[in-house]
Amino acid sequence: MTVESTAARKPRRSAGTKSAASAGAKRTSPAAKKSPGTTGAEPELVQLLTPEGERVKDATYDPYVADITPDELRGLYRDMVLSRRFDAEATSLQRQGELGLWASMLGQEAAQIGSGRATRDDDYVFPTYREHGVAWCRGVDPTNLLGMFRGVNNGGWDPNTNNFHLYTIVIGSQTLHATGYAMGITKDGADSAVIAYFGDGASSQGDVAESFTFSAVYNAPVVFFCQNNQWAISEPTEKQTRVPLYQRAQGFGFPGVRVDGNDVLACLAVTKWALERARSGEGPTLVEAYTYRMGAHTTSDDPTKYRADEERESWEAKDPILRLRTYLEASNHADEGFFAELEAESEALGKRVREVVRAMPDPDHFAIFENVYADGHALVDEERAQFAAYQASFADEGEGK
Amino acid sequence: MAAEKMALAKAINESLRTALDTDPKVLIMGEDVGKLGGVFRVTDGLQKDFGEDRVIDTPLAESGIVGTAIGLALRGYRPVVEIQFDGFVFPAYDQIVTQLAKMHARALGKIKLPVVIRIPYGGGIGAVEHHSESPEALFAHVAGLKVVSPSNASDAYWMMQQAIQSNDPVIFFEPKRRYWDKSEVNKDAIPGPLHKAVVAREGADLTLVAYGPMVKVCLEAAAAAQEEGKSIEVLDLRSMSPVDFDSIQASVEKTRRLVVVHEAPVFLGTGAEIAARITERCFYHLEAPVLRVGGYHAPYPPARLEDEYLPGLDRVLDAVDRSLAY
């Protein structure tokens, strides 16, 4: 192992000093000039908004957000605030015993809202189980996301209503579904695109590699959006890869780009660019959104057992919401009234989510047998009848529901 | 069109051709299915006639084949994918079990997954390892999948048509050692339901239940037993999920004896399920315990030993004798 790579594995620089905290500073650091594939090198990442909320120029990606209006900027801020509020409410609901489990997206709002807002209505989204912000952008009622975590269903929505597929728990499986769907778009002669979400841990899965192969071979209009949040439960990215993840794409024959995942503008611009490539027949792109999961993997684990407080603190300084707020205020795009109104809206959302979850009825007992097959199945019919008879036997005793 | 004699592989080829012709959403996918026409030539000539967009040669990645087929199905296509050999399905097993089988239920019935997975299966062709396995019970055990296997050309033609039209995922096991066996196919006949067992030979003294490659062995056993004055009924199960227990029950109520035959290991296999259910249903009709003939709890052996492993005429007749001795 080289001296450089060892150095890069030391704890990340503290957020205290301005230059160290700025990912923009890394872009001009000697490390950024290292050749691809060098272990531990900190590669360039696309950034349009520094952690301090300063707008920086980028000749390649600026055009994709050049026409963004103050209203749209406020919209991105609103999306991030409300999705964070929803996420916080779900975490609380889990702590209160209303949900069996929750996978928080805290810290990943910019990656999700930026990429989600880049999609068109006719695009199709294949999420993992943490894309609450993307679901928000697609217009999925956030309370629909809670059914599986409360244990009242295993999915719970019609994917075709918002072109937002069901959450997929097996790591990386959905990247293949996304690729197949994108192949279908090509066959249909449509100009829609597909975006597949996955994490740094999933990048180790064979299915992700196979989806890269298939999408490249068939030139499928799919954007692979990897949120590298640094941790796969307790395993750091270093346990998944020896090269920066976005560089994987090169070996499959399509471009990969790393974007500051805490910069909503950059995520929006880069995803738009990638989706436009897909639409115009240029095939797949890998976007690695370099971000950080501020919370636990799920409410079942305890991040204090596997990572240092300083690391989290350094990322707090890069908070995606604070940085856009600073920019909105500095550029006079939002006033106090806007923030106050949003605060009230945020509280109302939390209240609604709480009420809806608590009122969620347990599913009907016979839901066990529903939709196992589209065309029916003799064994399911037989067992449903046995179950009905068994249930009815309690009713005879006056103990039935 | 009159009935026509053709090989089982050819019947599947004709069936796929008919499906591609009638439904533009039907796709064929797999390794070597295009120019080569598949290693068993089951898809011979299809890419030439329907093009590379309909008959798709894929990368060598089974999980990718099934995973992308799921995505295509979500987009409204009806993919028919080929897994080159039985033992190669396992890289795709995760996609089949955790995704394909469950997605309809997870979406509360709002989406359908009409994917057919063709798997040439079973032994008897002198192949190397991973090319002769019978993993049907592993799939039949999974709710959300349907599992079928034809034993003759006519069933191969019609069952493939029905599998493609099914809105549920179907695992279609093709008995590879019967690919070259010829029988009558009547394309104008109206077939029975996909999951209905059929009586392949009438008999009065004992019922043999088999499917796929073992139906022929059982018919030969029944013919041999006839010479000894025993009347054996042979039921071609055709579907391992769902299993047509009603037809088995009807036959057993007539013959009072049942032997289930398959190539797959006996332990926890299709025969175990049939034995248990028929014992429940026909306890007072049975004159003997339900017996099973099949493979051993051992890896499929090297080719020079497969005749010992596979149930042949003698092992089936031995089980018939044991049952009749009760």
Side-chain angles (χ1 to χ4, degrees), chain A residues 167 187-188 207 210 218 374, chain B residues 53 57 63-64 77 106 168:
Chain A
Y167 276 1
K187 289 184 184 305
D188 293 345
D207 276 4
E210 293 189 19
Y218 299 114
Chain B
D53 282 344
D57 273 323
S63 190
Y77 287 86
R106 297 186 62 234
D168 291 307

Side-chain angles (χ1 to χ4, degrees), chain A residues 54-106:
Chain A
E54 289 160 12
R55 185 73 167 78
V56 288
K57 295 281 174 213
D58 185 302
T60 308
Y61 296 103
D62 273 343
Y64 293 90
V65 289
D67 57 352
I68 196 164
T69 64
D71 197 39
E72 287 167 334
L73 282 170
R74 284 191 298 273
L76 293 173
Y77 184 80
R78 176 179 174 273
D79 291 335
M80 288 198 290
V81 166
L82 293 180
S83 56
R84 178 174 287 188
R85 182 68 183 85
F86 163 72
D87 185 72
E89 192 62 41
T91 302
S92 299
L93 286 164
Q94 194 281 332
R95 294 295 182 230
Q96 293 161 14
E98 301 286 353
L99 300 177
L101 184 79
W102 183 244
S104 169
M105 63 169 284
L106 182 63

Side-chain angles (χ1 to χ4, degrees), chain A residues 234-385:
Chain A
S234 69
E235 304 281 6
T237 310
E238 288 80 3
K239 291 283 186 199
Q240 316 294 340
T241 183
R242 293 290 301 275
V243 298
L245 290 174
Y246 77 98
Q247 290 177 1
R248 291 262 179 96
Q250 193 185 1
F252 290 88
F254 55 88
V257 58
R258 177 180 273 184
V259 59
D260 184 339
N262 286 22
D263 174 353
V264 71
L265 270 191
C267 289
L268 177 68
V270 168
T271 313
K272 274 191 169 176
W273 164 76
L275 286 167
E276 281 185 22
R277 280 193 82 247
R279 289 184 213 301
S280 58
E282 292 177 69
T285 306
L286 170 62
V287 177
E288 178 192 0
Y290 201 76
T291 182
Y292 192 72
R293 156 170 55 84
M294 301 296 287
H297 164 69
T298 70
T299 44
S300 290
D301 72 317
D302 174 7
T304 64
K305 288 181 99 81
Y306 55 81
R307 65 188 192 190
D309 291 346
E310 302 83 61
E311 183 184 284
R312 185 192 151 107
E313 286 158 15
S314 77
W315 280 90
E316 275 171 1
K318 300 176 192 173
D319 189 297
I321 295 184
L322 285 180
R323 113 169 39 175
L324 183 57
R325 180 171 182 139
T326 308
Y327 177 65
L328 285 173
E329 288 174 336
S331 54
N332 291 318
H333 285 331
D335 57 19
E336 271 313 304
F338 167 75
F339 294 111
E341 214 170 281
L342 184 55
E343 179 63 25
E345 189 181 3
S346 187
E347 279 315 301
L349 173 67
K351 185 166 179 283
R352 181 171 81 84
V353 167
R354 200 158 57 241
E355 285 169 0
V356 171
V357 166
R358 287 181 174 154
M360 265 182 199
D362 283 349
D364 182 88
H365 291 180
F366 288 90
I368 293 168
F369 305 98
E370 295 302 318
N371 303 309
V372 182
Y373 292 89
D375 295 340
H377 189 283
L379 180 61
V380 176
D381 293 344
E382 184 183 325
E383 292 185 352
R384 186 197 286 110

Side-chain angles (χ1 to χ4, degrees), chain A residues 108-156:
Chain A
Q108 298 176 223
E109 293 85 356
Q112 297 200 10
I113 300 301
S115 60
R117 283 297 174 204
T119 61
R120 235 167 48 182
D121 283 353
D122 60 326
D123 293 338
Y124 216 101
V125 177
F126 286 84
T128 69
Y129 44 78
R130 202 190 294 281
E131 269 64 72
H132 321 314
V134 185
W136 172 268
C137 293
R138 298 298 301 181
V140 177
D141 184 331
T143 60
N144 283 352
L145 307 175
L146 300 171
M148 67 185 287
F149 294 99
R150 188 170 169 84
V152 302
N153 57 50
N154 288 324

Side-chain angles (χ1 to χ4, degrees), chain B residues 30-42:
Chain B
E31 297 160 10
D32 307 306
V33 298
K35 276 209 175 74
L36 179 65
V39 291
F40 291 104
R41 310 295 184 269
V42 171

